[in-house]
């Protein structure tokens, strides 16, 4: 009777909650279905793309339950009206009878320099028709023969420190309809027209292996040109192309190294239909200017006395400017930069400023970040101001770089690490912000060779990173957990600069291992596909004929000898596979298929037993070190499994059979060597030894639960604390929460004492660190993404939002939430390709209310955790469900009540 009464009360409470949740509709909720998020190559209205078969995506936004498109009609044409009106004879039309959200263009070749329009019309299951707005994109240069200009530079000398400036004046005598600037640079550039900087990108073009592929950027400059005289100005920076700073990875010896160069076509279409292309060539002039030194790795030095006001504006006196140097093209492979660019995304004020002398100030921005600072000061001409950027302070309050300058090998003191040098012109108030560098920092020490008066507002920080859209949110009743998620995002973004890096200060290297560990974390919270597609093209450029990849990508040559085993360079398989899971788009997997196969074949050839000890192992562990062979073989196995699945997907049947057999061989060899069926232990039973085989699927099914239980016992024996490094961190929380040990996983995730993520947070971290020990003597970057899997685990292990490889792109969502003890409220949201997915729960002493939102065109398979087995589960219609069975749900909002 008592139980029945309790259950009755719970139901009333549940219905009240349900009523309340209906009252408080989310702002992003829509009542009428509509088509949104129209993208071409995953960008909104991109300009200057060059893929012959672009992809188009859309979202059907609707709150109606079970809403799905039954079919779609896609139209594309250079005439927007024709698209909108659905006229006959359109350039391309395609229809599909499915709830797809992605279509690939398969028509006749698209033309260079042409704008195309497209629209999608969807017919819903109930017969309603919904039409999208008309979206557009523009093709750029499609091949090298589309270019007309010449590659130009200023001098040959790679050691010349000052940045080159280039200018040319042109006359416009007819009315302009449209104008586009196409610019490719070996190094970095900033473009200005008539005194105005073009665009808001920073550090363009993104870093590639310059001798194999260089990216060009397209701008609409129609409104920047005027009738009469116009001036074009370009400043070139070294970037990774002409690396003058010296560090252990030998970028200064990169085979491509040369003085920066660029090629630009300014293509003007006049109202009368004629086209004129202004190009780079011998008629440009060059001179150096105020950027007297620039290094992507260390800093920038700026002498404002050398400014030449007006050099990017017309009617400038060019006296003293020299003819440019014609250069050979650094490569013939010039591709469009099709990605979210690096921007200065947020300007941040100092939270504290301490004046230590009239020549010494220390600023604290309250958070660690990647980017630059902008100093505004006034003082005597020739005053030298130094801005030293770092992540920590000495006890006396000065900035301490000792944790991040360890791999720097300066040859003299003219290039101090993370230290900009600004020489004042003396012309009133002046501002300096570097153009061709970024740093990692929270603190900045500003010192000068004579007194300058600065205030807290004199220095602003600019958080810079690849400006990828937000695609996820986590909120919970545990503030430490929320801060861990925020710090994970801050570290992820601080390490996204057109390629994923390890840290923004000490290295800025595209460390492969760090990136595949963090790929899910990135994809749950950010729409980062464009960055990964670009970076996997970098992988293809770097792969040796024998299949080997370097440990850092791109590289100037370093990394083929060290650190490039499968535990790191499995990026080649793991990243395309995750892109497929998250976006439901097989393009990257297809593009990388042969590369994955060559990579796997190399390991197979070199390690015929199926076991490989090639790799670095469980990097920066808490204390115990697991065998490298165990972890590397697990990654090798993961690659072969991905390859066999890709083979199946792409219809390569012989390959599928071959790699399935290879996977079986590796798994058997692995278990024969490392698994003891009697004790159910892998190796000596260390946390990494137990969790890595579980996570990567090497454990025989019949032993999985026993191994997971053994892992749980091990964690308890280790004092309920982590004992893992990089590779173990990827696996452990998932291995526990996927096997009924979510309470323990949550305990590890939310723990606030050493060693844990929470330990960093309670000690003031705003980013993730490289070392569990915050007092470590080495390996202590304070903005590292390598321990970042926790970000993804919050979505997976608590929210339970998981992609389904059978219906990827969240067409089917595997909903597998956990409700660990100690956490009262939790909410995870992810914007998948089909819309926002929400999984949230709230605990009361009567039970748990669990609410999910499944977007239109999707469905979900809900599996409640074993911890609620035997409990009463009620859906919104008051139906009793069986907690242990998979529950199929369609699109819409669903609420369940689990009573205790
Ligand atoms: C990097 C790491 C990287 C490691 C490889 C370090 O210097 O910062 O994040 O994965 O080297 O050994």
């Amino acid at each position: 009777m008592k139980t029945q009464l309790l259950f009755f009360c719970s139901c009333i409470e549940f219905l009240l909650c349900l009523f309340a949740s209906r009252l408080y509709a989310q702002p992003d909720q829509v009542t009428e279905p509509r088509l949104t998020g129209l993208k071409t190559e995953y960008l909104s209205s991109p300009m200057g793309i060059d893929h012959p078969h672009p992809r188009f995506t859309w979202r059907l936004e609707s709150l109606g339950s079970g809403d799905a498109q039954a079919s779609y009609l896609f139209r594309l044409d250079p005439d927007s009206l024709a698209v909108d009106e659905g006229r006959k004879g359109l350039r391309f039309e395609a229809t599909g009878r499915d709830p797809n959200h992605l279509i690939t263009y398969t028509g006749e070749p698209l033309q260079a320099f042409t704008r195309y329009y497209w629209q999608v019309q969807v017919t819903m299951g109930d017969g309603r028709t919904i039409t999208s707005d008309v979206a557009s994109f523009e093709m750029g240069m499609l091949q090298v023969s589309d270019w007309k200009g010449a590659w130009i530079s200023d001098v040959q000398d790679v050691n010349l420190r000052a940045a080159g400036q280039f200018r040319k004046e042109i006359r416009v005598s007819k009315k302009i309809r449209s104008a586009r600037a196409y610019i490719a640079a070996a190094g970095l550039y900033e473009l200005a027209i008539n005194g105005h900087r073009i665009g808001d990108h920073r550090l363009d073009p993104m870093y590639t292996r310059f001798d194999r592929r260089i990216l060009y950027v397209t701008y609409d400059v129609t409104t920047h040109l005027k009738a009469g005289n116009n001036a074009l100005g370009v400043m070139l920076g070294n970037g990774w192309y002409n690396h003058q700073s010296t560090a252990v990875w030998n970028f200064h010896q990169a085979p491509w190294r040369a003085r920066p160069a660029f090629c630009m076509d300014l293509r003007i279409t006049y109202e009368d239909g004629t086209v004129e292309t202004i190009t780079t060539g011998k008629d440009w002039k060059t001179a150096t200017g105020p950027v007297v030194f620039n290094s992507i790795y260390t800093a920038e030095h700026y002498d404002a006395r050398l400014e030449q006001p007006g050099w990017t504006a017309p009617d400038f006196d060019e006296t003293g400017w020299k003819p440019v140097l014609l250069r050979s093209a650094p490569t013939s492979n010039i591709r469009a930069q099709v990605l979210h660019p690096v921007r200065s995304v947020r300007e941040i004020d100092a939270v504290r400023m301490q004046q230590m002398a009239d020549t010494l100030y220390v600023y604290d921005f309250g958070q660690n970040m990647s980017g630059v600072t902008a100093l505004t000061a006034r003082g005597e001409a020739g005053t030298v101001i130094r801005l030293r950027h770092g992540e920590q302070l000495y006890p006396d309050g000065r900035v301490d770089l000792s944790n991040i300058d360890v791999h720097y090998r300066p040859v003299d003191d003219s290039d101090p690490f993370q230290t900009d040098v600004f020489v004042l012109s003396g012309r009133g108030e002046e501002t300096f912000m570097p153009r061709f560098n970024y740093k990692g920092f929270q603190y900045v020490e500003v010192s000068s060779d004579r007194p300058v008066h600065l205030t807290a507002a004199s220095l602003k920080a600019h958080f810079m990173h690849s400006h990828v859209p937000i695609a996820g949110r986590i909120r919970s009743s545990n503030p430490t957990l929320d801060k861990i998620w925020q710090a994970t995002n801050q570290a992820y973004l601080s390490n996204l600069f057109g390629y994923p890096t390890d840290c923004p200060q000490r290295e800025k290297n595209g460390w492969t291992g760090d990136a595949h560990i963090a790929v899910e974390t990135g994809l749950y919270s950010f729409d980062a596909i464009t960055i990964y597609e670009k970076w996997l093209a970098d992988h293809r450029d770097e792969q040796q004929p024998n299949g080997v990849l370097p440990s850092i990508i791109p590289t100037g040559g370093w990394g083929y000898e060290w650190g490039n085993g499968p535990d790191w360079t499995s990026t080649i398989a793991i990243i395309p596979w995750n892109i497929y899971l998250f976006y439901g788009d097989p393009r990257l997997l297809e593009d990388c298929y042969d590369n994955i196969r060559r990579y796997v074949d190399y390991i197979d050839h070199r390690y015929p037993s199926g076991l490989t000890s090639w790799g670095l192992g469980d990097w920066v562990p808490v204390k115990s070190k697991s065998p490298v062979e165990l972890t590397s073989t697990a990654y090798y196995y993961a690659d072969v499994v991905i390859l066999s699945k890709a083979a199946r997907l792409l219809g390569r049947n012989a390959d599928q059979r071959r790699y399935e057999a290879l996977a079986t061989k590796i798994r058997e060899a692995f278990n024969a060597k490392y698994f003891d069926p009697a004790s159910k232990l892998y190796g000596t039973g260390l946390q990494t030894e137990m969790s890595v085989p579980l996570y990567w699927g090497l454990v025989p099914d019949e032993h999985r639960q026993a191994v997971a239980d053994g892992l749980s016992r091990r964690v308890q024996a280790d004092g309920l604390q982590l004992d893992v490094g990089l590779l173990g961190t990827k696996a452990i929380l998932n291995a526990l929460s996927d096997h009924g040990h979510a309470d323990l996983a949550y305990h590890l995730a939310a723990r606030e004492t050493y060693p844990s993520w929470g330990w960093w947070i309670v000690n003031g971290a705003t980013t993730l660190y490289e070392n569990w020990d915050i007092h470590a003597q080495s390996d202590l970057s304070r903005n590292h993404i390598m321990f970042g899997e926790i970000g993804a685990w919050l979505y997976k292990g608590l929210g339970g939002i998981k992609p389904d490889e059978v219906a990827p792109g969240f067409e089917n969502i595997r909903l597998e939430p956990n409700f660990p003890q100690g956490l009262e409220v939790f909410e995870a949201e992810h914007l998948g390709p089909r819309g926002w997915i929400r999984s949230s729960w709230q605990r009361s002493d009567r039970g748990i209310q669990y609410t999910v939102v499944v977007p239109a065109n999707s469905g979900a398979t809900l599996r409640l955790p074993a911890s609620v087995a035997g409990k009463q589960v009620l859906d919104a219609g008051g139906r009793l469900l069986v907690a242990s069975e998979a529950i199929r749900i369609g699109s819409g909002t669903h609420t369940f009540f689990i009573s205790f």
Side-chain angles (χ1 to χ4, degrees), residues 498-738:
Y499 65 109
T501 69
D502 58 337
C503 50
Q505 7 62 7
R506 188 186 67 209
E507 304 194 20
K508 300 181 172 76
N509 272 321
W511 274 104
T512 45
D514 307 44
H516 69 65
I517 296 282
V519 62
E520 289 171 87
T521 290
L523 295 179
Y524 272 113
S525 288
F526 301 99
D527 175 16
I529 182 173
T530 57
I531 310 300
Y532 288 114
E533 291 198 328
K534 178 261 172 196
W535 194 48
L536 266 291
D538 298 336
H539 276 62
R540 299 194 294 272
D541 285 344
E542 294 285 10
Q543 191 172 33
Q544 296 278 13
N546 67 2
V548 169
L549 289 154
S551 49
I552 56 172
I553 295 176
T555 174
W558 190 93
Y560 287 98
E561 293 257 1
W562 192 84
N564 60 334
D567 48 357
W568 257 245
T569 49
S570 288
T571 36
I572 191 70
I574 291 175
I575 290 183
W577 180 246
N578 276 287
I579 292 290
Y580 175 66
L581 291 181
F582 276 75
Y583 288 85
D585 183 345
R587 160 91 51 95
L588 189 60
L589 210 45
E590 268 165 43
D591 286 352
C592 295
Y593 182 82
D594 285 333
N595 306 79
I596 305 171
R597 192 173 53 176
R598 272 195 286 146
Y599 179 71
V600 160
D601 287 350
Y602 174 83
I603 307 176
D604 183 26
H605 176 72
R606 211 176 125 193
Y607 299 93
S609 70
L611 298 173
T612 171
S613 52
W614 183 26
L616 290 176
D618 201 17
W619 201 244
V620 194
V622 173
K623 59 176 185 342
S624 308
K625 186 98 173 108
S626 299
V628 172
E629 189 182 67
L630 182 144
T631 47
S632 280
T633 302
Y635 276 89
Y636 172 34
Y637 174 74
D639 297 338
V640 178
V641 170
I642 291 170
L643 181 58
S644 67
K645 288 177 180 175
R648 188 181 58 216
L649 200 73
L650 304 177
R652 314 233 189 165
N653 302 339
D655 277 7
Q656 183 193 337
R657 284 192 297 277
R658 170 160 173 223
Y659 293 109
E660 276 172 0
L662 179 57
T664 306
K665 175 176 124 180
I666 298 168
R667 198 176 187 208
E668 284 169 359
F670 181 87
N671 285 318
K673 174 138 185 204
Y674 287 102
F675 184 54
D676 174 6
S679 64
K680 311 277 193 255
L681 292 184
Y682 276 88
T684 57
L686 296 173
Q687 292 182 23
T688 294
E689 290 175 313
M690 301 289 279
S691 52
V692 163
L694 274 170
Y695 180 75
W696 290 109
L698 285 136
V699 183
D701 287 347
E702 64 277 23
H703 297 304
R704 287 184 72 82
Q705 193 56 50
V707 174
D709 296 346
L711 169 63
S712 155
R713 281 195 298 277
R714 177 71 199 210
V715 174
Q716 293 172 43
D718 286 335
L720 284 171
Q721 64 185 39
L722 288 173
D723 181 21
V724 289
L726 169 69
L727 306 176
T729 322
K730 177 77 191 175
I732 189 162
L733 298 178
N734 299 294
L736 288 170
S737 60
D738 285 349

Side-chain angles (χ1 to χ4, degrees), residues 338-356:
V338 185
L339 43 69
H340 293 284
V342 171
R343 292 198 175 96
S344 162
V345 176
R346 201 148 41 94
E347 188 185 274
I348 298 167
D349 291 331
V351 294
R352 223 164 292 116
M353 187 271 269
Q354 198 191 351
Q355 178 168 5
M356 297 184 152

Side-chain angles (χ1 to χ4, degrees), residues 74-89:
F74 174 90
R75 301 196 280 247
L76 179 146
D77 200 78
D79 180 348
S80 69
L81 259 184
V83 166
D84 206 14
E85 292 169 1
R87 286 190 209 145
K88 288 237 165 316

Side-chain angles (χ1 to χ4, degrees), residues 316-336:
F316 170 79
D317 177 7
E318 279 183 354
T319 314
W321 285 57
K322 300 204 170 65
V324 298
L325 205 66
L326 294 173
R327 267 271 311 272
S328 68
T331 169
S332 55
N333 190 16
I334 311 292
R335 314 300 317 175

